[in-house]
Amino acid sequence: MKKLLIALGAVVVLLLIGYFVVTSSGFAKAVVLPKVGAALNATVEAESISLSPFSSVEIRKLKVTPQGRETLATVDLARVRYSLFAIIGGNIDVDEILVSDSTVTVVQRSDGTSNLDPVLKKLSEPAATPAPTSTPSKSPQMNLRSLQIANAKVSYESTAADGTVTRLDVEGANFNLKDLKNGGTGSADTAASVKFTQGPTSGPPTNAIDAKISGRFGLSLTTDLAPSTVSGNAELKAGAGRGAFKEFEGFGATLTAELTPEELKNLAVQFQRQGAAFGSMSASGPLNLAKKEGRLQINIAAIDRNVLNLVGAPMNLDFVTTRFDSTNSVQIADGGQRFSIAGSVTGRQVSVKQGELTVPALDLRKAYDLVVDMAKQTATVNAYELKGTQGGREILDGAITRPISVSWAANAGAAPDASLRLAIKDLRLADWSAVLGNGVRGTLAVQAELGVRNSGKDLLFEARAGLRDFNG
């Protein structure tokens, strides 16, 4: 008996020694971090790691550097407080996840490579396929009381072949998610400052703009952790602009959302500047997320250069007199396996200017009807029509001759052949002198046809063109 007690005492002492070794900062830094780094193809370092296996882990001065590249991420403090016994019992019970004062920096060189490449390459390697389970897995039981990202910074820098440097900096980013649990109601709020610059390597940027983003949402989850209700809004406010972004000073956009278990009551983006509204995008209609079925109306109204130039400015594009409107009906059925969209896009006085080059204004209208069935692995374009006019004259006309069906199923049956026909009618070259050059005269006509054969596996293209009274 005495020997047994001595042996048991020795085992207890060894377990205690093992506990203190495994939970020590030195062990985690020497054993755990290198394994994490190998999984990311990076060097992962930390100043200190404090581990209490049953309740918390805290890491200070974490640094991730991809092999042979610039540092990708640093984190001043990362902390997780949890209940290990609850997790062992199948409940994800987490009091806090905190990431404080983090910096993520992505650098893309002129040759297209970046410091993110080694990590992405490693993560894209095929992983072992887990053995299939005979019984469907239940949704986990989760109770996340607080997820906080405090004072984060994200920087993206890209250098073009001509030496132009483009930077996007997100600073002072804060994100708070509270009370996320099965069948519960929580909240999320966020705020950040954003700055975009573009210009030479040295000296002040040619183009620049800064903005502030903020948002607050309330949300509830079902017992299966699916979204049940969402309501709230987010706002973007632009500040000072420079160069191509000068005209966007005071630009703003407001996102509002209201979702119930049976309906998307409203999802809308409204654009404005200095208090004056211009352009909007919206979606609404019956939507059952549990069944993955719904009928949505999606509209785009009065999107003009005030919005389009925000995208075009970095490329020195000005959309001049352009305005787009669109109405669409979207249906989702069969548990999200089948969806259809029918609608139209109208472009009024569509024109683009870059420097001294201006594309003549056109009026365009496109109508379409598309159905995709993921279960049957088919897509069908039931209707497609394109019309274009210039100065009241029709110069562009396109349509399909019959529904076009494409199948990617292995045993797909034959689908009828179809064609997309496009005609350019009496295009007066003189109207396009800004593009073609002064002195060019003549009238151009083009007939083109794209044939879809063998259920979309074969494509046939034919074109005929004629030019009358050419002079130039």
Side-chain angles (χ1 to χ4, degrees), residues 184-203:
T185 300
S187 64
D189 61 80
T190 185
S193 296
V194 181
K195 185 174 183 179
F196 177 90
T197 61
Q198 185 181 59
T201 306
S202 60

Side-chain angles (χ1 to χ4, degrees), residues 22-102:
V22 171
T23 59
S24 69
S25 178
F27 179 84
K29 290 163 64 177
V31 178
V32 179
L33 293 188
K35 290 184 178 297
V36 175
L40 297 175
N41 195 20
T43 300
V44 180
E45 304 169 292
E47 183 179 277
S48 67
I49 300 176
S50 176
L51 176 61
S52 299
F54 299 104
S55 60
S56 67
V57 59
E58 182 176 291
I59 305 174
R60 290 187 177 274
K61 304 296 183 183
L62 180 67
K63 183 178 180 181
V64 180
T65 305
Q67 296 296 334
R69 302 297 172 90
E70 300 89 343
T71 296
L72 176 64
T74 62
V75 180
D76 190 65
L77 171 63
R79 182 172 61 232
V80 181
R81 294 191 296 113
Y82 55 89
S83 171
L84 181 61
F85 291 114
I87 293 174
I88 293 174
N91 299 320
I92 304 173
D93 192 350
V94 179
D95 287 318
E96 176 191 39
I97 299 176
L98 170 65
V99 179
S100 178
D101 295 284
S102 61

